[in-house]
C-alpha cells in the first residue's frame, strides 16, 4: 500500500503562498479574530478548499475555517480532524515576509540576506545537521517566517488535495479546522465543536520531523497583592512599609538555580514572574506556574507562598493575598484514555520512513484546550524550527513527510476500524 502512493511535491508552493500574507495576532485587541488581516488568509484557504471540491469549506465570522473531506470507505470509521493555526506570533514582525530557499543545503551556518546580524548557526540549531541535501526555507532576516504554523496549514491543505485526487484511497470522514489567535492563547475560544463533529483531532504544529507530542504543561497563574503602609516621606521613620520594596524582596528570594525558565528543561517545571506593578501603598506581582503534574504545580505554589510569608514577617503592618487561577492542564490526562490516537500516529510516522519520537511540550497548544473540551488532540510535527524569531526555518523535505503522515493516518484509522 505504502509504495503505491505517488506523493506530490506541492506543499512548498502552498507554504510560500501563505507566508507572505501577514496574519500577526494582537493580545491587546478584544475582537475575534484579534486582527482582521487573519481573515485574508482564512478566505484564501476556504476558497482553495472549495476549489478542491470540498463543498462545505467556509470561513466563519470569528475567523475559523472548517471543511470536510467526505469518506471513501463504507466502514464506520471515527471522524478525525487535522488542525493548524493561521496567526503568527506578536513577538516578531510578520509584515512583508520575504522567503528564501537554500537549495541542497551543504551544512554550516545560513546567512540571511536582509540583515547581516541574522545568521542561523548550525551550533545553535543542531537539527540542521540532519538537513544536509535538503531545501531549507528561511526569511531574509527582517521578519519571522511564519512556519509556525503555516507549515501545518500547507501540509493539511496538501494532504487534503492528495486525498481528494486519489479517491481509491480508503478513509473515513476527515475534518479540517484552521484557527485564529493561537499565539495569544485564544485559539479555541470561538470554535464550534458540534459543527466540527470530530471524534479525535491532531494539531500539526510540532517541531522536529518524526515527533508526536501527547503531553503539555499544566498551567496556573498566581497573583500576589501587597498592601503596604503609606506615610508622608518626611515623617515616615518607623512607620512606612513600602509595597514596591516588599514586592522586590519577594522576587529577590525566588530560587536562583532551579525552578525558572532559564534554569530548567525537559520535564522540570518553573515559577516565573511575568508582571510587576505598584506604588508605595500597593503592589502586584503576577506569576505563571508550570509543571507536568498537578502535584508539581501545588509544590511550586506552596514554595511561592512560603517565600511571601517569610518576607512579610519583616513588614508586620502590611497585608498580602495570593490568588491562584487554573489556566490549562496536561492533555495526557485525556489522551491516555484513547491510546490508539497516539499509536496510529506513531505508525503513520513510521510508514513515512521516519523514526517516531514521543515527546512532551513545554507549553500549551490549542490541542491541550481542545482535549479538555472533549476533542482529544495530540500534536504532530510540522517541521518548524526557531519559532517566533527572524531565524525561523523549515525544510521542504520535512513538510513533505508531514503531508505523508497525515495521509497515512487517514489510511490507518480506516484499516483499524
Ligand atoms: Zn504554533
Amino acid at each position: 500500500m505504502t509504495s503505491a502512493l505517488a506523493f506530490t511535491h506541492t506543499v512548498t508552493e502552498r507554504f510560500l503562498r501563505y507566508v507572505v500574507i501577514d496574519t500577526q495576532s494582537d493580545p491587546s485587541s478584544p475582537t475575534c479574530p484579534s486582527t482582521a488581516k487573519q481573515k485574508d488568509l482564512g478566505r484564501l484557504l476556504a476558497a482553495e478548499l472549495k476549489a478542491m471540491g470540498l463543498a462545505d469549506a467556509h470561513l466563519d465570522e470569528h475567523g475559523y475555517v472548517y471543511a470536510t473531506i467526505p469518506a471513501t470507505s463504507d466502514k464506520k470509521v471515527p471522524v478525525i480532524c487535522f488542525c493548524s493555526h493561521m496567526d503568527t506570533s506578536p513577538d516578531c514582525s510578520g509584515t512583508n515576509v520575504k522567503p528564501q530557499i537554500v537549495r541542497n543545503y551543504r551544512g554550516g551556518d545560513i546567512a540571511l540576506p536582509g540583515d547581516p546580524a541574522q545568521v542561523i548557526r548550525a551550533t545553535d540549531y543542531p537539527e540542521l545537521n540532519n538537513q544536509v541535501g535538503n531545501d531549507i526555507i528561511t526569511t531574509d532576516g527582517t521578519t519571522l517566517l511564519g512556519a509556525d504554523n503555516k507549515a501545518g496549514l500547507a501540509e493539511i491543505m496538501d494532504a487534503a488535495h492528495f486525498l481528494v485526487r486519489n479517491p481509491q484511497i480508503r478513509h473515513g470522514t476527515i475534518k479540517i479546522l484552521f484557527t485564529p489567535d493561537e499565539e495569544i492563547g485564544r485559539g479555541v475560544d470561538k470554535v464550534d465543536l458540534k459543527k466540527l463533529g470530530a471524534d479525535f483531532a491532531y494539531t500539526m504544529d510540532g517541531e522536529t520531523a518524526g515527533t508526536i507530542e501527547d503531553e503539555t504543561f499544566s498551567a496556573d497563574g498566581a497573583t500576589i497583592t501587597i498592601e503596604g503602609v503609606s506615610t508622608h516621606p518626611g515623617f515616615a521613620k518607623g512607620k512606612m512599609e513600602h509595597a514596591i520594596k516588599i514586592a522586590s524582596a519577594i522576587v529577590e528570594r525566588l530560587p536562583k538555580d532551579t525552578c525558572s525558565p532559564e534554569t530548567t528543561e525537559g520535564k522540570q517545571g518553573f515559577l516565573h514572574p511575568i508582571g510587576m506593578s505598584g506604588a508605595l501603598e500597593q503592589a502586584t506581582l503576577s506569576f505563571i506556574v508550570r509543571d507536568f503534574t498537578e502535584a508539581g504545580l501545588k509544590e511550586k505554589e506552596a514554595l511561592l507562598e512560603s517565600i511571601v510569608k517569610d518576607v512579610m514577617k519583616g513588614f508586620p503592618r502590611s497585608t498580602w493575598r495570593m490568588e491562584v487561577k487554573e489556566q490549562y492542564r496536561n492533555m495526557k490526562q485525556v489522551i491516555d484514555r484513547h491510546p490508539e490516537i497516539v499509536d496510529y500516529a506513531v505508525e503513520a510516522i513510521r510508514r513515512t520512513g521516519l523514526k517516531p519520537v514521543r515527546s512532551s511540550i513545554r507549553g500549551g497548544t490549542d490541542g491541550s484546550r481542545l482535549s479538555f473540551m472533549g476533542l482529544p488532540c495530540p500534536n504532530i510535527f510540522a517541521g518548524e524550527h526557531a519559532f517566533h524569531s527572524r531565524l525561523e526555518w523549515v525544510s521542504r523535505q520535512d513538510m513533505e513527510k508531514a503531508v505523508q503522515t497525515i495521509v497515512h493516518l487517514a489510511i490507518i484509522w480506516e484499516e483499524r476500524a
Side-chain angles (χ1 to χ4, degrees):
M1 181 79 210
T2 308
S3 55
L5 297 175
F7 285 109
T8 54
H9 300 279
T10 45
V11 66
T12 302
E13 276 164 45
R14 294 179 194 281
F15 177 71
L16 295 173
R17 214 162 42 233
Y18 306 150
V19 292
V20 295
I21 301 174
D22 184 358
T23 57
Q24 190 179 48
S25 49
D26 175 5
S28 68
S29 157
T31 59
C32 181
S34 65
T35 50
K37 59 190 176 185
Q38 294 180 61
K39 284 189 172 176
D40 296 343
L41 178 56
R43 264 187 294 272
L44 174 70
L45 293 167
E48 288 188 4
L49 288 164
K50 257 206 140 87
M52 286 179 203
L54 306 187
D56 69 340
H58 67 282
L59 169 73
D60 80 358
E61 66 200 290
H62 306 297
Y64 291 71
V65 175
Y66 297 83
T68 308
I69 308 174
T72 54
S73 169
D74 299 332
K75 284 197 205 168
K76 210 175 148 16
V77 185
V79 176
I80 58 169
C81 170
F82 293 96
C83 174
S84 284
H85 62 89
M86 293 180 284
D87 64 319
T88 62
S89 168
D91 297 341
C92 186
S93 169
T95 306
N96 217 346
V97 171
K98 293 188 210 70
Q100 68 158 350
I101 305 181
V102 179
R103 288 184 207 279
N104 193 9
Y105 170 63
R106 290 327 226 168
D109 299 347
I110 301 175
L112 304 185
D115 180 349
Q118 303 292 323
V119 178
I120 306 175
R121 296 191 193 285
T123 46
D124 294 339
Y125 298 97
E127 187 51 35
L128 277 175
N129 294 325
N130 301 322
Q131 301 286 346
V132 173
N134 288 353
D135 300 334
I136 296 179
I137 306 163
T138 74
T139 65
D140 67 348
T142 59
T143 64
L144 53 62
L145 176 62
D148 174 11
N149 189 206
K150 288 165 183 167
L153 298 175
E155 290 154 5
I156 295 170
M157 293 294 288
D158 206 53
H161 185 249
F162 183 79
L163 289 171
V164 170
R165 286 293 192 82
N166 290 275
Q168 79 283 4
I169 296 174
R170 296 277 158 252
H171 59 80
T173 302
I174 292 167
K175 297 284 178 172
I176 292 171
L177 173 67
F178 299 142
T179 60
D181 292 336
E182 190 264 2
E183 297 290 1
I184 55 170
R186 310 207 295 245
V188 297
D189 280 7
K190 301 269 182 184
V191 71
D192 185 343
L193 289 188
K194 226 172 141 181
K195 177 166 94 174
L196 185 68
D199 297 305
F200 306 111
Y202 298 91
T203 46
M204 299 298 300
D205 194 15
E207 195 175 15
T208 305
T211 50
I212 159 110
E213 297 160 321
D214 60 349
E215 252 200 285
T216 56
F217 271 148
S218 281
D220 283 346
T223 309
I224 293 160
T225 309
I226 293 143
E227 306 282 352
V229 178
S230 165
T231 57
H232 185 290
F235 308 93
K237 189 169 183 186
K239 298 191 188 88
M240 183 188 284
E241 295 187 357
H242 202 311
I244 292 176
K245 292 183 181 174
I246 299 172
S248 311
I250 292 168
V251 173
E252 180 52 30
R253 291 278 294 274
L254 293 172
K256 303 255 187 311
D257 305 319
T258 59
C259 213
S260 65
E262 63 271 33
T263 58
T264 53
E265 61 186 353
K267 284 295 181 69
Q268 302 166 315
F270 54 74
L271 189 60
H272 176 46
I274 54 160
M276 185 174 188
S277 64
L280 205 175
E281 211 165 28
Q282 194 193 67
T284 307
L285 284 169
S286 323
F287 287 83
I288 59 171
V289 191
R290 298 291 186 262
D291 203 277
F292 285 94
T293 66
E294 209 90 2
L297 281 182
K298 294 288 157 283
E299 199 179 283
K300 287 170 184 65
E301 286 151 12
L303 170 67
L304 179 59
E305 190 168 348
S306 74
I307 291 171
V308 176
K309 278 184 177 158
D310 209 46
V311 168
M312 293 308 293
K313 280 182 195 155
F315 305 93
R317 284 175 299 135
S318 299
T319 59
W320 64 282
R321 58 181 188 275
M322 175 166 153
E323 199 191 345
V324 175
K325 272 206 183 113
E326 178 174 323
Q327 292 178 331
Y328 58 85
R329 287 293 175 261
N330 187 342
M331 64 182 174
K332 196 168 172 60
Q333 297 170 20
V334 178
I335 291 173
D336 275 356
R337 286 180 228 145
H338 308 276
E340 69 275 23
I341 309 172
V342 173
D343 291 347
Y344 295 177
V346 165
E347 173 61 17
I349 292 166
R350 189 174 291 123
R351 286 187 192 183
T352 71
L354 291 169
K355 190 171 156 307
V357 178
R358 288 180 71 152
S359 171
S360 48
I361 309 167
R362 290 175 62 78
T365 61
D366 273 354
S368 32
R369 285 180 63 203
L370 286 172
S371 293
F372 285 92
M373 287 162 74
L375 184 63
C377 184
N379 187 38
I380 294 176
F381 73 94
E384 36 194 78
H385 291 272
F387 328 129
H388 304 187
S389 84
R390 297 198 252 164
L391 304 180
E392 206 184 353
W393 60 273
V394 67
S395 80
R396 173 173 76 77
Q397 285 77 0
D398 286 355
M399 287 197 289
E400 290 178 358
K401 288 290 185 192
V403 174
Q404 296 169 21
T405 299
I406 296 169
V407 171
H408 283 298
L409 253 174
I411 294 169
I412 293 166
W413 277 97
E414 197 272 347
E415 281 174 6
R416 308 280 166 94

